Amino acid sequence: MNLSEILNSLDASWERDKILLNIKKGFNTDEIVNEFLAKNERQIKELNSLLGPEYFDLLNQIEQLSTCESKLINKIKNLNNLGNSKKDHIFSEKKILPSNRASFNKISSFMINWSNKFVVIALLAISAIALSKQAWT
């Protein structure tokens, strides 16, 4: 199996909608990651054997990018919490309208799609690097 096939297989196995559903069901992140690793052990070992030391810098950068995204999400949540504490008395007097729920669904969908695009771009970048390396050898 070549690098592109492995990355496509792993990308298909990492279905974000199912992961989000598992999180909503109460699974913790370690359980989700360990289950993914167990189910895809063969592809991950093969991927690891294909990735040389030059890819580890790229993987570290992708990890740092994920950390930045996580921090950004936390900052957005914290800003929202500060605003909510000031508006608590307003929310207790009013009911949440269905339009607010639709807005939440749009934001949730945007955040999931944004993360999906990031993962796909990262996988494509790794694949492109691998293909260019193969072309030069």
Side-chain angles (χ1 to χ4, degrees):
M1 198 178 253
N2 68 30
L3 187 60
S4 296
E5 291 171 342
I6 293 170
L7 292 174
N8 288 333
S9 172
L10 291 173
D11 187 43
S13 296
W14 187 258
E15 294 181 47
R16 297 180 67 84
D17 291 337
K18 287 184 180 179
I19 293 167
L20 185 59
L21 184 61
N22 285 340
I23 290 170
K24 288 179 180 180
K25 288 180 181 178
F27 291 99
N28 72 36
T29 54
D30 289 331
E31 291 173 325
I32 293 169
V33 169
N34 289 336
E35 180 181 337
F36 177 80
L37 292 173
K39 285 183 179 179
N40 298 287
E41 184 177 2
R42 184 180 55 81
Q43 289 101 330
I44 292 171
K45 283 183 179 179
E46 197 169 336
L47 175 66
N48 205 20
S49 70
L50 292 173
L51 295 178
E54 65 275 8
Y55 292 104
F56 292 111
D57 285 337
L58 177 61
L59 292 175
N60 286 333
Q61 292 167 358
I62 292 170
E63 182 181 18
Q64 289 174 353
L65 181 58
S66 294
T67 302
C68 288
E69 289 174 343
S70 177
K71 287 180 180 183
L72 175 63
I73 290 168
N74 284 328
K75 295 274 186 184
I76 291 170
K77 282 187 345 186
N78 289 338
L79 288 174
N80 190 30
N81 288 339
L82 289 174
N84 283 343
S85 65
K86 294 177 183 177
K87 298 177 186 177
D88 278 344
H89 67 281
I90 295 171
F91 285 128
S92 64
E93 295 172 6
K94 295 182 179 180
K95 292 183 179 178
I96 296 176
L97 300 175
S99 63
N100 290 344
R101 183 165 298 285
S103 296
F104 172 76
N105 288 339
K106 286 179 186 177
I107 292 170
S108 175
S109 175
F110 169 77
M111 293 302 284
I112 290 171
N113 288 335
W114 175 58
S115 295
N116 282 344
K117 288 178 186 177
F118 163 73
V119 170
V120 169
I121 290 169
L123 292 174
L124 288 174
I126 293 171
S127 180
I129 291 168
L131 291 174
S132 65
K133 181 180 178 185
Q134 288 176 351
W136 287 103
T137 56

